[in-house]
């Protein structure tokens, strides 16, 4: 790890391999609550001091090697602003597609499927707000309502993925896309066991400093673009970068490298105003738990929540350990969407044919429990990825589309005001969400031409 951070002689290839190894090691330890093991890892990597650097303003730069100086003087804020803002875009990009599919389901039909999609959409909103908490914790202003940060459909997620995400009606195609969005990083998962009865309803309720310094925004983003294929992997590498910047901040302040988690947890890059944190009592969405961030442990809790809800926690199909979840275990997003696609629940299924000797099965294993009835025809035939230009010849549809967009902007403005320190504005989001549904259905229920209906543009 020292070599990865400070060795000016390291090659680009070795730097990349070091990133792969240490990001995986460090992330696995901290995001799996293995603090003692992390402390041992730090001591093994940073056992000896490497510099006479002291936290004084009079320190001459000539007394520090160029390699160390390059990283110590690196401005981490533009890098974290870019990467965390991209995380907001990733979360934001999933919300309109999920809401579009949800709103397209005709009232009174596909009740279970609607509950699943709604629960995921609400949790994605939670994820977006928690990423804003992380940004505020490191004194970087998040943005959710600037037009340049809006997703535009169809689009690829800001990762190395080979499929497009769009606004589509509820169908096997849209649910298959949602499954791809939420794909886990690991190819295997623990086959579900149900030692205690599980109520199905519980599952549904919820520029470079120097030439040989590779720690630049360009190189760090390039590594992510070439090595990140899932949302979970994006958060893993992003978390590693945050820890690296916290290590460097500690080194800069103390003239030595940290030896344990306690030394890393507070201070450093965590200089944000606590008053800007959205706290659990201020968030009115159901499903998941909102974490505020004032230190590294707060970041860990946020990333655990986001990754667990998306792809499962601890190699499980559940977003938490079901034995620790008082209200009943809830499936991670990927597995919830697979239940809809395959029209069966995981609960009560037989997975022995798919299991290896360790009780692991491929994440692609279909649910084989009791049926989940789905009527794929009970959805409005919305035109995929509608644009306002589609409604130019129809003044009524144009006005309705414009009104929907204004309501969505109002929703984002309320969230923006909240993450800027006016948390009371978040209360308005509930009103806007109800209005969005009504306006979306108003569009989707009207024919655009002979075979397709209108729809929201977001």
């Amino acid at each position: 790890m020292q070599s990865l951070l400070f060795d000016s002689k390291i090659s680009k290839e070795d730097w990349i391999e070091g990133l792969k190894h240490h990001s995986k090691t460090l992330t696995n330890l901290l995001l799996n609550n293995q603090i003692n093991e992390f402390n041992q890892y730090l001591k093994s990597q940073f056992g000896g001091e490497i510099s006479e650097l002291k936290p004084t303003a009079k320190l001459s730069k000539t007394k520090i090697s160029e390699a160390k100086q390059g990283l110590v003087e690196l401005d981490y804020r533009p890098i974290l602003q870019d990467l965390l803002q991209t995380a907001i875009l990733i979360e934001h990009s999933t919300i309109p597609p999920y809401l579009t599919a949800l709103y397209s389901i005709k009232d009174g039909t596909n009740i279970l499927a609607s509950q699943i999609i709604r629960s995921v959409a609400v949790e994605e909103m939670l994820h977006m707000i928690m990423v804003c908490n992380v940004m505020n914790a490191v004194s970087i202003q998040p943005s959710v309502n600037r037009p340049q940060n809006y997703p535009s459909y169809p689009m690829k997620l800001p990762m190395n993925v080979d499929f497009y995400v769009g606004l589509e009606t509820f169908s096997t195609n849209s649910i298959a896309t949602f499954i791809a969005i939420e794909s886990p990083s690991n190819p295997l998962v623990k086959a579900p066991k149900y030692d205690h009865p599980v109520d199905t309803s519980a599952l549904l309720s919820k520029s470079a400093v120097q030439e040989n310094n590779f720690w630049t925004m360009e190189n760090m983003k390039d590594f992510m673009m070439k090595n990140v294929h899932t949302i979970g992997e994006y958060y893993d590498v992003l978390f590693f970068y945050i820890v690296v910047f916290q290590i460097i901040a500690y080194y800069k302040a103390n003239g030595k490298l940290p030896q344990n988690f306690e030394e890393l947890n507070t201070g450093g890059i965590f200089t944000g105003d606590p008053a800007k944190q959205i706290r659990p009592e201020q968030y009115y969405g159901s499903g998941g738990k909102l974490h505020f961030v004032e230190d590294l442990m707060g970041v860990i809790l946020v990333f655990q929540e986001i990754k667990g809800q998306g792809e499962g926690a601890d190699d499980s199909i559940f977003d938490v350990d079901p034995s620790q979840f008082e209200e009943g275990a809830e499936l991670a997003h990927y597995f919830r969407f697979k239940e809809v696609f395959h029209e069966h629940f995981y609960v009560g299924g037989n997975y022995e044919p798919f299991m290896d000797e360790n009780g692991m099965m491929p994440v692609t294993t279909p649910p084989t429990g009791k049926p989940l009835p789905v009527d794929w025809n009970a959805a409005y035939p919305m035109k995929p990825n509608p644009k306002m230009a589609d409604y130019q010849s129809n003044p009524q549809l144009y006005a309705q589309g414009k009104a929907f967009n204004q309501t969505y902007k109002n929703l984002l403005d309320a969230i923006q005001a909240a993450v800027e320190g006016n948390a009371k504005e978040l209360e308005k989001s509930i009103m806007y969400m109800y209005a969005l549904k009504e306006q979306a259905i108003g569009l989707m229920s009207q024919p655009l031409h002979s075979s397709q209906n209108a729809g929201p543009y977001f």
Side-chain angles (χ1 to χ4, degrees), residues 196-264:
H196 306 285
V198 180
D199 184 0
T200 300
S201 63
L203 297 174
L204 301 172
S205 65
K206 313 266 171 184
S207 82
V209 176
Q210 56 190 53
E211 188 174 355
N212 58 350
N213 171 33
F214 300 121
W215 292 96
T216 65
M217 183 185 296
E218 180 182 2
N219 285 332
M220 295 167 77
K221 290 181 67 175
D222 183 64
F223 175 83
M224 297 183 89
M225 284 302 301
K226 293 178 178 177
N227 296 280
V228 166
H229 304 274
T230 69
I231 294 176
E233 289 175 348
Y234 184 90
Y235 278 107
D236 281 347
V237 178
L238 174 55
F239 177 75
F240 177 70
Y241 288 162
I242 290 173
V243 176
V244 165
F245 289 132
Q246 182 68 348
I247 289 173
I248 298 306
Y250 180 89
Y251 174 71
K252 187 175 182 179
N254 297 279
K256 61 181 181 179
L257 290 165
Q259 301 296 301
N260 55 62
F261 179 80
E262 185 177 359
E263 293 178 342
L264 268 188

Side-chain angles (χ1 to χ4, degrees), residues 97 109 132 138 145 224 250 283 294-295 424:
T109 69
C132 291
V138 294
N145 68 340
M224 297 183 89
Y250 180 89
Y283 181 72
E294 295 177 351
D295 50 27
K424 293 260 321 164

Side-chain angles (χ1 to χ4, degrees), residues 300-317:
I300 291 173
L301 293 174
V302 165
F303 283 25
Q304 285 176 333
E305 187 81 10
I306 292 174
K307 289 193 61 184
Q309 287 184 341
E311 60 181 45
D314 193 25
D315 294 328
S316 168
I317 70 172

Side-chain angles (χ1 to χ4, degrees), residues 179-195:
I179 291 171
I181 291 172
E182 304 286 356
S183 293
S185 306
N186 296 327
L188 297 175
V189 67
K190 296 174 186 175
K193 295 180 181 180
Y194 303 97
D195 299 326

